[in-house]
Amino acid sequence: MSENAFTQPENSAGGAEPPVRELEDIPSVEVISRAAVMLMSAAAERLGLADEDPDSSPRRDLDEARRLITALAGLVTSSAEYLGLHAGPLRDGLQSLQKAFREASAVPDEPGKGPGEKYTGPVY
C-alpha cells in the first residue's frame, strides 16, 4: 500500500502511527518547554525521586543531578520572557528540584552556590 499525505503508516501492532511533525512546524515555546521537561525528568531521576526511597535509589547521582538542574535553570531563566503561561510552572518545578537537591546533599551548598542558583538566586 502506498502512503500519501492522507494516510498514516501502520505500526507493527497494526495501529496508526502519530503523524511526524517537522521541527520547523513546532513553535519555539513548545521546543523550549519540552527540553525543560526532559531536563526536569532526568534531574528527578538522578535525585532518586522516582523511587519509593530516594535515599537508597540506585539511580541517585548528585553530580549528574547538579549538571541537569544547572542546565534547566539556565534554560528557564534565559527563556522566561518567551514562555508565557509556562514560565511559572517551570520555575516552580526547578525550585522544587533545587530544594530536593539541597535536602539530598550530605553537605548542602551555601545559599546561592547550589545547582542553578547563579541563574535563579538563592533557594532555601
Side-chain angles (χ1 to χ4, degrees):
M1 174 173 134
S2 66
E3 295 176 19
N4 61 38
F6 302 105
T7 63
Q8 293 185 11
E10 290 187 13
N11 64 22
S12 60
E17 292 284 331
V20 176
R21 291 170 63 191
E22 295 296 323
L23 192 55
E24 66 191 31
D25 296 331
I26 302 173
S28 59
V29 68
E30 188 175 337
V31 173
I32 295 166
S33 296
R34 284 184 183 193
V37 169
M38 182 178 287
L39 288 166
M40 275 186 191
S41 297
E45 284 284 338
R46 295 300 188 179
L47 288 170
L49 299 178
D51 293 322
E52 198 170 303
D53 182 14
D55 293 330
S56 63
S57 171
R59 288 182 279 281
R60 181 175 261 185
D61 184 335
L62 296 183
D63 187 47
E64 287 290 312
R66 177 184 295 277
R67 294 172 189 182
L68 291 162
I69 294 168
T70 299
L72 175 62
L75 176 63
V76 171
T77 302
S78 65
S79 59
E81 67 181 291
Y82 308 115
L83 294 172
L85 299 174
H86 303 280
L90 291 174
R91 275 194 207 109
D92 292 345
L94 169 59
Q95 189 174 60
S96 294
L97 289 169
Q98 288 172 310
K99 288 177 180 178
F101 183 92
R102 183 171 297 285
E103 290 173 11
S105 298
V107 180
D109 297 311
E110 296 176 35
K113 301 290 184 187
E117 291 183 11
K118 68 181 176 182
Y119 302 113
T120 64
V123 175
Y124 300 96

